[in-house]
Amino acid sequence: MFARAPEHRNIVVLGSTGSIGTQTLDVVRQNPERLSIVGLAVNSSVQTVCAQAREFGVPHVAVGTKLSADEMAHVRASLEGVAEAACGPDAVLELCRMPEVDLVVNALVGAAGLRASYEALRAGKVLALANKESLVVGGDLLIPMSTHETLLPIDSEHGAIYQCLLGENPDEVVRLWVTASGGPFRGKTRADLAGVTVAQALNHPTWKMGLKITIDSATLMNKGLEVIEAHHLFAMPYEKIEVVVQPQSAIHSMVEFSDGSVKAHLGTTDMRIPIQFALSYPERWHAPVQPLDFRQLGSLEFAAPDTQTFRCLALARAAGSRGGTLPAAMNAANEVAVATFLAGNCPFLSIADAVEAAMDACDVQPVESLEQLEEVDARARAAAAAYLERLR
């Protein structure tokens, strides 16, 4: 007999104007009798979050960027009679601690999301996690604070594995298969990638995502981060986690068992499905999108990832296997390198080179605290930036 979800959940959405955030709001739009938004947080998209707050009647809004007094006065005037507003990093964290909150959707981008995940779990909230870096950087801290019911992955791949493992004995799992679309450069060589543009790297064949995660998909760093996430989420050793390229993105991931059976999670390529499952668990609600028609799907292809061309996947796996503070350094360097590439200031292939340079400079230690990880993050960013500056 499965436990039932609460009849109504009050949720906070961190990163409400990004891809995951806006799709989360669409799920709420379709389920107003089950979900209410009591807090929204953004980094700097003030005008958009104010419009969202007015549409959904959200009582609390936080802007992560510190605003001037005049700017805050403008925000408060825009939200008068609807919501209270505050700014700065602490304002975002305060949303996670509000007593009326049942569930926090963390769709913040980058390592900045780690502290929000930490505060949500420490406050006893259910954490629906789309911020990959929380577990990549701080999995050693977050996993001991969470349970199977309080940390729910929103990533399509981890949501798929989570569902494939329901009711199964973890000791009988022999392999987790994390699927990858292959990104826009599937099949390309290093020579082909030497001169790719930002526009080409952002032209993902199947998923519509934010800028940073789309570049991570193009380098396959995204899959490396997901391997580390899977290790933490499912207590699975790295030798039991494999990446397989599945270009149609119809299979979201698979679990292989000791008797040779394989469970695969298939569905429409739309993030509202895993988002809704995280919000509805342990129940399943009516599909938020048109279901997949297998008669129209055609063929399914599978291939091994090319880790020689897409070195970020191998670097991330190496960082995860070594553990400690090395994943934090790897992630920070990647954020710097991706931002530099997006700004047009380094070649695509230099992203992996900068990550490797920062990893080589890292003094790897066991993870002890958020403050330690923030120091590692800062040192790795400086190392990556210095490496990339030498290329100019």
Side-chain angles (χ1 to χ4, degrees), residues 33 51 59 71 92 135 183 233-234 262-263 283 307 316 356 390:
E33 74 287 356
E71 289 170 326
V92 176
L135 289 178
L233 278 168
F234 308 114
V262 178
K263 276 188 177 182
E283 299 178 355
T307 55
E356 185 173 36
R390 291 195 294 269

Side-chain angles (χ1 to χ4, degrees), residues 58-88:
V58 178
H60 301 281
V61 169
V63 179
T65 302
K66 193 70 176 174
L67 301 179
S68 68
D70 287 345
E71 289 170 326
M72 275 307 299
H74 179 74
V75 171
R76 290 187 173 117
S78 177
L79 294 173
E80 188 174 0
V82 177
E84 296 179 355
C87 68

